[in-house]
Amino acid sequence: MIEAAGYAPTIVQYRKVGWTRAKLEELLAAMGAKPRDVLREKGTPAAELRLVDSTVSDDAIIEAMIEHPILVNRPIVVTPKGTKLCRPSEAVLPLLDRVPAEFTKEDGEVVRL
């Protein structure tokens, strides 16, 4: 959607390069979020690591995210208008100065704005 709006985003391949504590904390602060807010459970070892338990500390979740980058939900989009976990993809619209007339989602759904 971002590219359909005419932007050339910088994409961070976090599953390959991993996360640093500083970067995760920076993104969380910019979003006003807690680590649990961006914890990806589906298709990850989150349950196996017992991270879904509400008593697990933020620090423990961040440490797990550093060790297992897949635990961070995506995409997290950063623009001059803000930082946000953009799921579903339409959540990115308030962060853009211009939007496409339409775009096709990864699942093939066509969205017309």
Side-chain angles (χ1 to χ4, degrees):
M1 178 182 321
I2 294 169
E3 290 172 338
Y7 294 95
T10 300
I11 299 171
V12 176
Q13 299 292 334
Y14 73 95
R15 289 181 65 185
K16 292 180 183 176
V17 300
W19 294 104
T20 64
R21 175 175 284 279
K23 180 49 91 175
L24 281 173
E25 289 176 345
E26 173 189 326
L27 291 169
L28 291 167
M31 291 187 286
K34 297 281 188 189
R36 187 170 305 284
D37 298 332
V38 298
L39 177 64
R40 182 177 180 189
E41 295 180 30
K42 187 176 179 183
T44 75
E48 175 184 320
L49 296 169
R50 297 189 173 110
L51 299 173
V52 296
D53 185 319
S54 63
T55 63
V56 176
S57 71
D58 288 350
D59 188 61
I61 293 173
I62 288 176
E63 285 299 318
M65 289 173 165
I66 292 167
E67 187 174 341
H68 305 278
I70 189 110
L71 290 169
V72 179
N73 212 340
R74 82 279 182 237
I76 296 174
V77 177
V78 179
T79 75
K81 288 187 163 189
T83 301
K84 185 175 186 177
L85 172 62
C86 293
R87 240 181 210 289
S89 56
E90 295 90 331
V92 76
L93 295 174
L95 297 179
L96 303 176
D97 285 326
R98 58 185 183 271
V99 297
E102 71 176 38
F103 67 95
T104 304
K105 293 174 125 180
E106 289 179 4
D107 65 2
E109 176 188 355
V110 176
V111 178
R112 290 179 178 78
L113 304 172

